Protein backbone atom coordinates (compact mmCIF):
# COMPACT_ATOMS: atom_id res chain seq x y z
CA UNK A 1 0.00 0.00 0.00
CA UNK A 2 1.53 3.35 -0.97
CA UNK A 3 1.90 5.82 1.88
CA UNK A 4 -0.65 8.68 1.80
CA UNK A 5 0.23 12.14 0.45
CA UNK A 6 1.25 14.02 3.56
CA UNK A 7 3.76 16.60 4.68
CA UNK A 8 6.11 14.92 7.18
CA UNK A 9 8.79 16.74 9.17
CA UNK A 10 11.68 14.72 10.57
CA UNK A 11 13.86 16.53 13.11
CA UNK A 12 16.46 15.51 15.66
CA UNK A 13 19.98 16.43 16.68
CA UNK A 14 22.81 16.39 14.19
CA UNK A 15 24.30 12.88 14.00
CA UNK A 16 21.17 11.08 15.26
CA UNK A 17 20.77 9.28 11.92
CA UNK A 18 17.82 11.14 10.37
CA UNK A 19 19.28 10.81 6.87
CA UNK A 20 19.74 7.04 7.21
CA UNK A 21 16.18 6.56 8.45
CA UNK A 22 14.69 8.68 5.69
CA UNK A 23 16.74 6.80 3.05
CA UNK A 24 15.49 3.49 4.41
CA UNK A 25 11.86 4.65 4.30
CA UNK A 26 12.31 5.83 0.69
CA UNK A 27 13.99 2.55 -0.30
CA UNK A 28 10.95 0.66 1.03
CA UNK A 29 8.40 3.23 -0.24
CA UNK A 30 9.66 4.81 -3.49
CA UNK A 31 6.60 7.05 -3.72
CA UNK A 32 8.00 9.14 -0.86
CA UNK A 33 9.70 12.38 -1.95
CA UNK A 34 12.66 13.77 -0.02
CA UNK A 35 12.57 17.56 0.05
CA UNK A 36 15.83 19.18 -1.10
CA UNK A 37 16.58 22.27 1.01
CA UNK A 38 18.57 25.34 0.08
CA UNK A 39 21.59 26.10 2.24
CA UNK A 40 24.38 28.65 2.42
CA UNK A 41 26.80 26.13 3.96
CA UNK A 42 29.59 24.69 1.82
CA UNK A 43 29.09 21.20 0.33
CA UNK A 44 30.78 18.36 2.22
CA UNK A 45 32.85 15.78 0.39
CA UNK A 46 30.52 13.50 -1.53
CA UNK A 47 27.55 15.89 -1.52
CA UNK A 48 25.94 16.83 -4.85
CA UNK A 49 24.27 20.15 -5.63
CA UNK A 50 20.57 19.63 -6.32
CA UNK A 51 20.56 16.19 -4.67
CA UNK A 52 21.70 16.69 -1.07
CA UNK A 53 20.99 20.43 -1.03
CA UNK A 54 20.73 23.36 -3.39
CA UNK A 55 23.96 25.12 -2.39
CA UNK A 56 23.46 28.88 -2.74
CA UNK A 57 25.24 32.05 -1.63
CA UNK A 58 23.91 34.45 1.03
CA UNK A 59 22.47 36.88 -1.51
CA UNK A 60 20.56 34.19 -3.41
CA UNK A 61 19.22 32.82 -0.13
CA UNK A 62 18.04 36.27 1.01
CA UNK A 63 16.30 36.72 -2.37
CA UNK A 64 14.45 33.41 -1.99
CA UNK A 65 13.26 34.39 1.48
CA UNK A 66 12.15 37.90 0.48
CA UNK A 67 10.27 36.62 -2.59
CA UNK A 68 8.26 34.31 -0.30
CA UNK A 69 9.58 31.11 -1.91
CA UNK A 70 10.42 29.42 1.40
CA UNK A 71 7.90 27.42 3.41
CA UNK A 72 10.28 27.93 6.35
CA UNK A 73 13.89 28.82 6.93
CA UNK A 74 16.27 28.99 9.87
CA UNK A 75 19.86 29.70 10.79
CA UNK A 76 21.41 26.46 12.01
CA UNK A 77 25.03 25.99 13.15
CA UNK A 78 26.00 29.31 11.56
CA UNK A 79 24.47 28.79 8.07
CA UNK A 80 21.01 29.39 6.58
CA UNK A 81 18.76 26.49 5.57
CA UNK A 82 15.30 26.66 4.02
CA UNK A 83 12.59 24.56 2.38
CA UNK A 84 11.33 25.74 -1.04
CA UNK A 85 7.54 25.71 -0.76
CA UNK A 86 6.89 24.81 -4.40
CA UNK A 87 8.42 21.33 -4.22
CA UNK A 88 6.24 20.56 -1.19
CA UNK A 89 3.06 21.69 -2.94
CA UNK A 90 4.02 19.88 -6.17
CA UNK A 91 4.68 16.57 -4.36
CA UNK A 92 1.40 16.73 -2.42
CA UNK A 93 -0.57 17.74 -5.53
CA UNK A 94 0.85 14.70 -7.33
CA UNK A 95 -0.24 12.46 -4.47
CA UNK A 96 3.20 11.88 -2.93
CA UNK A 97 4.15 11.99 0.74
CA UNK A 98 7.09 14.40 1.23
CA UNK A 99 9.65 14.32 4.05
CA UNK A 100 11.37 17.49 5.24
CA UNK A 101 14.54 16.71 7.18
CA UNK A 102 14.81 20.01 9.03
CA UNK A 103 15.74 21.46 12.41
CA UNK A 104 13.35 22.09 15.29
CA UNK A 105 12.87 25.81 14.52
CA UNK A 106 11.80 24.80 11.02
CA UNK A 107 9.54 22.05 12.35
CA UNK A 108 7.69 24.45 14.61
CA UNK A 109 7.36 26.98 11.76
CA UNK A 110 5.89 24.29 9.48
CA UNK A 111 3.37 23.31 12.15
CA UNK A 112 2.12 26.92 12.27
CA UNK A 113 1.74 27.18 8.49
CA UNK A 114 0.59 23.61 7.86
CA UNK A 115 -1.25 22.31 10.94
CA UNK A 116 -1.91 18.99 9.18
CA UNK A 117 1.83 18.20 8.94
CA UNK A 118 3.11 15.18 10.87
CA UNK A 119 6.08 16.15 13.08
CA UNK A 120 8.43 13.29 13.97
CA UNK A 121 11.37 13.74 16.34
CA UNK A 122 14.28 11.27 16.20
CA UNK A 123 16.11 10.83 19.51
CA UNK A 124 19.51 9.23 20.18
CA UNK A 125 19.64 6.37 22.68
CA UNK A 126 21.94 8.63 24.80
CA UNK A 127 24.14 11.73 24.52
CA UNK A 128 27.24 9.51 24.70
CA UNK A 129 26.00 7.54 21.68
CA UNK A 130 25.25 10.76 19.78
CA UNK A 131 28.81 11.96 20.40
CA UNK A 132 30.18 8.61 19.24
CA UNK A 133 28.13 8.80 16.00
CA UNK A 134 29.11 12.41 15.27
CA UNK A 135 32.82 11.64 15.76
CA UNK A 136 32.48 8.43 13.76
CA UNK A 137 31.09 10.05 10.62
CA UNK A 138 34.20 12.23 10.42
CA UNK A 139 32.57 15.04 8.44
CA UNK A 140 32.94 17.81 11.03
CA UNK A 141 35.89 19.32 12.88
CA UNK A 142 36.14 18.79 16.64
CA UNK A 143 34.97 22.39 17.14
CA UNK A 144 31.90 21.79 14.94
CA UNK A 145 31.17 18.57 16.82
CA UNK A 146 31.28 20.42 20.16
CA UNK A 147 28.91 23.06 18.74
CA UNK A 148 26.49 20.41 17.48
CA UNK A 149 26.53 18.51 20.79
CA UNK A 150 25.78 21.71 22.71
CA UNK A 151 22.91 22.47 20.28
CA UNK A 152 21.60 18.88 20.66
CA UNK A 153 20.73 19.51 24.32
CA UNK A 154 18.46 22.43 23.35
CA UNK A 155 16.94 20.45 20.46
CA UNK A 156 16.09 17.48 22.70
CA UNK A 157 14.12 19.85 24.95
CA UNK A 158 11.84 20.60 21.97
CA UNK A 159 10.98 16.92 21.40
CA UNK A 160 7.73 17.12 23.46
CA UNK A 161 6.34 19.60 20.90
CA UNK A 162 6.43 16.91 18.20
CA UNK A 163 3.60 14.49 17.38
CA UNK A 164 5.79 11.38 17.54
CA UNK A 165 9.18 10.56 19.12
CA UNK A 166 11.27 7.66 17.84
CA UNK A 167 14.48 6.49 19.54
CA UNK A 168 17.01 5.51 16.89
CA UNK A 169 18.76 2.63 18.61
CA UNK A 170 18.29 0.24 15.69
CA UNK A 171 18.06 1.92 12.26
CA UNK A 172 15.85 -0.75 10.62
CA UNK A 173 13.38 -0.79 13.51
CA UNK A 174 13.29 3.02 13.71
CA UNK A 175 12.73 3.31 9.93
CA UNK A 176 9.84 0.81 10.14
CA UNK A 177 8.34 2.84 12.96
CA UNK A 178 8.65 6.04 10.90
CA UNK A 179 6.89 4.39 7.94
CA UNK A 180 4.13 3.09 10.26
CA UNK A 181 3.53 6.63 11.58
CA UNK A 182 3.36 7.93 8.00
CA UNK A 183 0.81 5.25 7.09
CA UNK A 184 -1.56 6.42 9.81
CA UNK A 185 -3.65 9.32 8.71
P1 LIG B 1 23.63 19.57 7.93
O1 LIG B 1 24.51 20.78 7.75
O2 LIG B 1 24.21 18.59 8.91
O3 LIG B 1 23.24 18.93 6.63
O4 LIG B 1 22.28 20.08 8.58
C1 LIG B 1 22.31 20.81 9.77
C2 LIG B 1 20.90 20.96 10.31
O5 LIG B 1 20.10 21.75 9.42
C3 LIG B 1 20.16 19.63 10.47
O6 LIG B 1 19.49 19.65 11.73
C4 LIG B 1 19.16 19.65 9.34
O7 LIG B 1 18.02 18.91 9.65
C5 LIG B 1 18.85 21.13 9.27
N1 LIG B 1 18.23 21.51 8.00
C6 LIG B 1 18.49 21.03 6.76
N2 LIG B 1 17.71 21.60 5.85
C7 LIG B 1 16.90 22.46 6.52
C8 LIG B 1 15.84 23.34 6.12
O8 LIG B 1 15.46 23.46 4.95
N3 LIG B 1 15.26 24.07 7.11
C9 LIG B 1 15.64 24.01 8.41
N4 LIG B 1 14.97 24.75 9.28
N5 LIG B 1 16.62 23.18 8.81
C10 LIG B 1 17.24 22.42 7.89
Amino acid sequence: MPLPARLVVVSGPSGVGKGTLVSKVIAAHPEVVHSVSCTTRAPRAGETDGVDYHFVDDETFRGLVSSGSMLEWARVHGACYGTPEKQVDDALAEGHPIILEIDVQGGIAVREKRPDALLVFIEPPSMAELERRLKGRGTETLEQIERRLAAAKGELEMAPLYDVRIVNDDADGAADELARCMARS
Side-chain angles (χ1 to χ4, degrees):
M1 265 268 282
L3 293 171
R6 189 164 195 199
L7 173 46
V8 181
V9 168
V10 172
S11 300
S14 188
V16 78
K18 302 182 291 281
T20 305
L21 298 189
V22 172
S23 299
K24 283 179 183 289
V25 168
I26 292 174
H29 303 274
E31 72 277 14
V32 177
V33 174
H34 188 188
S35 159
V36 180
S37 295
C38 295
T39 183
T40 59
R41 85 150 161 75
R44 295 187 191 123
E47 285 184 329
T48 308
D49 187 33
V51 176
D52 300 287
Y53 283 103
H54 300 288
F55 295 100
V56 299
D57 59 22
D58 290 337
E59 198 187 330
T60 306
F61 195 92
R62 274 197 299 273
L64 289 165
V65 171
S66 58
S67 66
S69 307
M70 295 296 195
L71 171 60
E72 62 72 38
W73 74 276
R75 186 171 278 280
V76 189
H77 311 313
C80 291
Y81 295 80
T83 306
E85 189 151 24
K86 188 177 181 309
Q87 62 172 326
V88 172
D89 289 335
D90 286 352
L92 295 174
E94 287 164 17
H96 294 286
I98 179 163
I99 299 184
L100 277 50
E101 208 186 302
I102 62 177
D103 89 315
V104 286
Q105 308 168 72
I108 302 308
V110 169
R111 149 137 327 129
E112 278 171 20
K113 280 178 123 174
R114 309 279 184 117
D116 54 340
L118 174 70
L119 268 59
V120 182
F121 194 93
I122 311 295
E123 295 180 299
S126 65
M127 282 302 283
E129 174 61 15
L130 185 66
E131 181 169 355
R132 199 189 63 76
R133 288 184 194 173
L134 266 175
K135 288 185 171 157
R137 75 180 185 182
T139 47
E140 283 89 14
T141 63
L142 209 53
E143 192 197 329
Q144 286 168 330
I145 290 174
E146 294 302 335
R147 190 137 59 121
R148 283 169 187 239
L149 282 173
K153 298 201 173 84
E155 285 163 336
L156 287 167
E157 284 170 12
M158 307 286 271
L161 299 176
Y162 276 60
D163 299 309
V164 182
R165 298 161 72 164
I166 298 175
V167 177
N168 184 16
D169 46 5
D170 154 56
D172 287 323
D176 285 347
E177 204 176 331
L178 175 56
R180 272 199 302 278
C181 295
M182 291 173 64
R184 279 184 233 128
S185 50

